[in-house]
Amino acid sequence: MDLRTDVAIIGAGTAGLAALAKVRKAGKSFLLIDGGELGTTCARVGCMPSKVAIQVAEDFHRRHRFQRVGIEGREALRLDSAEALEHVRDLRDIFVDRVLAGTTDDMGEAFMEAQARFVEPTVLHVDGRIVRAGAVVIATGSRPLVPQAWQPFAERILTSDSIFEQEILPGSVAVVGLGAIGVELGQALQRMGVAVTGLDRLDSICGLSDARVAQTATEIIGKEFPLWLGHAAEVTQDGDGLRVTSGEQSVVVEKILASLGRTPNVKGLGLEALGVALDSRGVPAFDPHTMQIGQLPVFIAGDVTGSEAILHEASHEGRIAGTNAAAHRVRAFRRLTPLSIAFCDPNIASVGASWGDLDEAATAVGEIRFGPVGRALIMGSNRGLLRVYAERNSGKLLGASMVAPRGEHLAHLIAWAIERGLTAVDMLRVPYYHPAIEEALQAAIHVLVEDMGTHSPDSPELQPLTP
Ligand SMILES: Cc1cc2nc3c(=O)[nH]c(=O)nc-3n(C[C@H](O)[C@H](O)[C@H](O)COP(=O)(O)OP(=O)(O)OC[C@H]3O[C@@H](n4cnc5c(N)ncnc54)[C@H](O)[C@@H]3O)c2cc1C
């Protein structure tokens, strides 16, 4: 017999579960369908295990500072990579269990563990059964991209899916693709004792479009392991290893970490049955404010959209898609201020408008280097550059780019300020505790206000009580 439901959600990842929460709240019937490994990409192989590895790597790396501050015996410290990887997997299991306990474990027949395929826009084929839904949410996520040409070397190719499944870490790795995942994992591996070479065909890392920040980021990260930028990597067999070539440079490594990006999970979904155009990756066009595909009662959310793979965006999109899938009327919702953070050391982050999209003449910039920043010096991390952008005329904050110690926190503050429509002067009229890393932001905003060229005799930090 056919199954009928108000909303069918394909994919029990972050986006699908966020959609589910909204459908539940609206009191609609639902079916959640997932045919892959459960527990979300974030908890299983993504955000969480990668941050555990980064933490281990940072703890071990800290020993390089010990001698300078009078702590003896650092030479005796060793990293047991088998234990370290076991620790990553142990914490990973905790994160996954938590996701499952709150969701698919307790859903009974409302959860179908199978692949879904569209037969019509609201009719799905699932595990030999037909599901007829009032609306459908597609939230099938993405997977690591591995070039077809690398298939002959498959045994020596690692991805973020497989790296933490290794018994021990390899001796040498070429990290091909230096977006956030490549830089984070590359630095963590290097700090855990792997000889890492990083390669990207672009001239900058982590998608930085501000050339000054990009250069600083490349200099800092490049001090830890070689970064070969500006050439597509070529891979050939070389004895027992792989030779990876970038322009004139080449290295033989045990393994390659493919971090060239992620590809939307659309294979086998039968999206052709939607009757709308699909792009070269097989993804249909959608409205980013409603997450609706054309005029169909079909919505899409998360990594499968092919946009940047960021967890809070997947969640936000899932909430929009779920809300609209459960409603009589499709509504458009505001999107969040762009915010992306690479948890390398120092953090690399971009907030709001990217430098490449701004009109330079109409934009004021506040720039600060972290060399003299007190808290950064105390932490032994006084390297980096923060650039904050604002409308030259109004002072309204537009965006920022940074390679900064604890940049994750600065990036949040700036994103929240942009969300609230604050100006540079507004940002001077808030407290900054001493000695906090936020003082770097305060200093950058002072420079920004100066760059705006507003020559007022008043001190901008002081807000008169009476006009
Ligand atoms: C190494 C790494 C580090 C990351 N770090 C961060 C970070 O620090 N911060 C951050 O914001 N983001 C980070 N991300 C990105 C973040 O994890 C993703 O953006 C997010 O998990 C995407 O969620 P999703 O719901 O779209 O997909 P997923 O969680 O992958 O869910 C998709 C689900 O769909 C299922 N599915 C697929 N096809 C079908 C089908 N045909 N039928 C039924 N089910 C199907 C899959 O089994 C899966 O369960 C990282 C990602 C990686 C890989």
Side-chain angles (χ1 to χ4, degrees):
M1 241 211 332
D2 293 358
L3 294 169
R4 288 180 187 275
T5 186
D6 290 329
V7 182
I9 299 167
I10 314 173
T14 300
L17 293 174
L20 174 69
K22 291 297 169 192
V23 174
R24 260 195 170 131
K25 198 161 177 218
K28 299 286 179 181
S29 65
F30 54 83
L31 274 177
L32 179 66
I33 304 157
D34 196 307
E37 281 190 66
L38 298 177
T40 76
T41 287
C42 164
R44 260 186 336 100
V45 289
C47 327
M48 304 305 273
S50 61
K51 301 316 163 285
V52 181
I54 288 169
Q55 188 62 56
V56 172
E58 248 179 60
D59 291 348
F60 187 49
H61 182 73
R62 192 84 192 148
R63 74 193 186 288
H64 292 301
R65 212 178 121 67
F66 287 176
Q67 202 170 10
R68 187 144 38 111
V69 301
I71 304 172
E72 293 178 0
R74 73 174 175 142
E75 306 76 18
L77 293 176
R78 299 276 174 274
L79 183 90
D80 180 333
S81 80
E83 286 279 336
L85 288 165
E86 192 68 48
H87 169 67
V88 173
R89 290 191 292 269
D90 282 349
L91 279 193
R92 184 267 323 268
D93 291 346
I94 292 173
F95 296 129
V96 167
D97 285 349
R98 278 191 196 160
V99 172
L100 299 180
T103 54
T104 44
D105 277 357
D106 311 321
M107 285 180 63
E109 291 186 353
F111 176 58
M112 298 179 79
E113 201 161 355
Q115 296 285 317
R117 184 170 49 79
F118 281 90
V119 181
E120 290 172 28
T122 54
V123 181
L124 304 171
H125 187 273
V126 186
D127 205 15
R129 303 194 69 176
I130 291 293
V131 172
R132 296 183 186 277
V136 180
V137 175
I138 305 167
T140 50
S142 62
R143 63 182 185 284
L145 188 74
V146 181
Q148 199 65 31
W150 294 4
Q151 280 311 318
F153 323 117
E155 263 183 25
R156 294 193 170 273
I157 308 285
L158 297 171
T159 66
S160 51
D161 280 3
S162 57
I163 181 94
F164 303 125
E165 294 304 322
Q166 306 300 300
E167 282 274 303
I168 53 166
L169 290 173
S172 57
V173 167
V175 176
V176 182
L178 295 170
I181 293 175
V183 172
E184 285 183 356
L185 294 182
Q187 188 184 49
L189 291 174
Q190 172 75 28
R191 289 181 169 194
M192 289 196 274
V194 179
V196 172
T197 306
L199 301 92
D200 201 297
R201 67 188 163 81
L202 299 178
D203 289 318
S204 66
I205 60 173
C206 290
L208 288 166
S209 76
D210 184 318
R212 291 176 61 78
V213 178
Q215 192 192 342
T216 307
T218 307
E219 280 166 14
I220 294 173
I221 303 294
K223 282 199 177 124
E224 286 193 47
F225 59 95
L227 300 177
W228 296 347
L229 303 178
H231 300 279
E234 283 169 30
V235 182
T236 49
Q237 191 78 41
D238 190 311
D240 277 349
L242 294 177
R243 178 171 292 280
V244 186
T245 306
S246 160
E248 301 290 297
Q249 295 160 300
S250 91
V251 63
V252 177
V253 289
E254 258 178 60
K255 300 262 165 106
I256 286 179
L257 176 70
S259 46
L260 300 106
R262 296 180 63 85
T263 187
N265 284 332
V266 290
K267 202 166 158 219
L269 256 184
L271 292 183
E272 313 72 37
L274 296 180
V276 297
L278 305 176
D279 69 14
S280 58
R281 300 162 302 177
V283 179
F286 62 95
D287 179 333
H289 297 284
T290 62
M291 304 314 291
Q292 188 177 21
I293 296 174
Q295 296 302 310
L296 299 171
V298 181
F299 302 85
I300 189 165
D303 284 11
V304 68
T305 60
S307 325
E308 231 176 319
I310 292 179
L311 181 112
H312 71 273
E313 290 289 357
S315 243
H316 193 66
E317 291 174 357
R319 287 191 282 267
I320 295 177
T323 300
N324 279 332
H328 303 296
R329 183 171 65 89
V330 171
R331 280 185 298 162
F333 294 93
R334 246 189 95 238
R335 295 301 302 248
L336 301 169
T337 298
L339 169 63
S340 64
I341 300 169
F343 290 88
C344 48
D345 170 29
N347 298 158
I348 294 176
S350 302
V351 188
S354 84
W355 181 247
D357 294 336
L358 291 171
D359 172 0
E360 273 189 49
T363 306
V365 181
E367 177 178 311
I368 198 85
R369 290 207 172 264
F370 282 80
V373 173
R375 188 51 182 265
L377 251 163
I378 292 166
M379 296 189 301
S381 302
N382 55 326
R383 308 160 302 161
L385 177 69
L386 165 64
R387 276 166 56 86
V388 187
Y389 322 129
E391 265 174 19
R392 184 168 290 287
N393 290 338
S394 66
K396 195 171 166 211
L397 292 182
L398 297 174
S401 181
M402 71 192 77
V403 49
R406 301 208 177 148
E408 58 176 297
H409 303 300
L410 302 181
H412 274 89
L413 287 181
I414 299 167
W416 296 352
I418 294 172
E419 281 281 337
R420 293 282 158 253
L422 299 190
T423 64
V425 168
D426 291 332
M427 288 295 284
L428 289 183
R429 292 175 173 176
V430 293
Y432 291 87
Y433 208 81
H434 176 73
I437 206 76
E438 284 72 9
E439 286 176 312
L441 174 59
Q442 184 184 33
I445 299 284
H446 270 293
V447 178
L448 179 55
V449 169
E450 260 175 47
D451 188 43
M452 284 167 56
T454 36
H455 301 294
S456 156
D458 285 341
S459 175
E461 308 90 331
L462 301 178
Q463 188 169 13
L465 274 181
T466 49

